[in-house]
């Protein structure tokens, strides 16, 4: 597995892609996708058929919803901020 990672890293470097710029784009992509991965967890945490009496309480739902709103705001702001920053470079 380490050999595959080293070879993949070598191939990326040979393409002359700036690794810092690539990292910035991947971080923005992660920020955009993160709410889509968190929402199903929040939904399942409230499913009584699946979790029975171990579902989230009111406080956990409130905090989870606030966190989801923060994630959505960050996701919506990520791409415009990347453009305004000139692509991070």
């Amino acid at each position: 597995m380490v050999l595959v990672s080293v070879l993949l890293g070598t191939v990326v470097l040979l393409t002359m892609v700036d690794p810092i710029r690539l990292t910035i784009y991947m971080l923005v992509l992660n920020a955009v996708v993160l709410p889509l991965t968190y929402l199903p967890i929040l939904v399942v945490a409230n499913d009584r058929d699946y979790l029975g009496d171990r579902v989230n309480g009111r406080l956990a739902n409130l905090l989870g919803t606030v966190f989801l709103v923060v994630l959505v705001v960050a996701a919506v702001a990520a791409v415009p901020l990347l453009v305004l920053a000139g692509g991070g470079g």
Side-chain angles (χ1 to χ4, degrees):
M1 191 65 182
V2 173
L3 180 61
V4 172
S5 298
V6 169
L7 290 175
L8 184 62
T10 303
V11 169
V12 170
L13 286 175
L14 291 176
T15 63
M16 303 302 287
V17 174
D18 181 15
I20 302 299
R21 189 171 295 257
L22 180 64
T23 302
I24 291 169
Y25 287 130
M26 290 301 106
L27 286 173
V28 169
L29 180 65
N30 283 331
V32 170
V33 174
L34 189 57
L36 300 174
T37 62
Y38 181 71
L39 181 62
I41 294 170
L42 193 58
V43 170
V44 169
N46 288 296
D47 187 359
R48 287 209 179 274
D49 292 334
Y50 190 70
L51 293 177
D53 61 344
R54 294 187 175 164
V55 295
N56 279 351
R58 289 181 191 223
L59 179 61
N61 280 330
L62 176 68
L63 294 174
T65 303
V66 168
F67 185 65
L68 180 62
V69 169
V70 169
L71 289 177
V72 169
V73 168
V76 169
V79 174
L81 287 174
L82 178 69
V83 171
L84 288 174

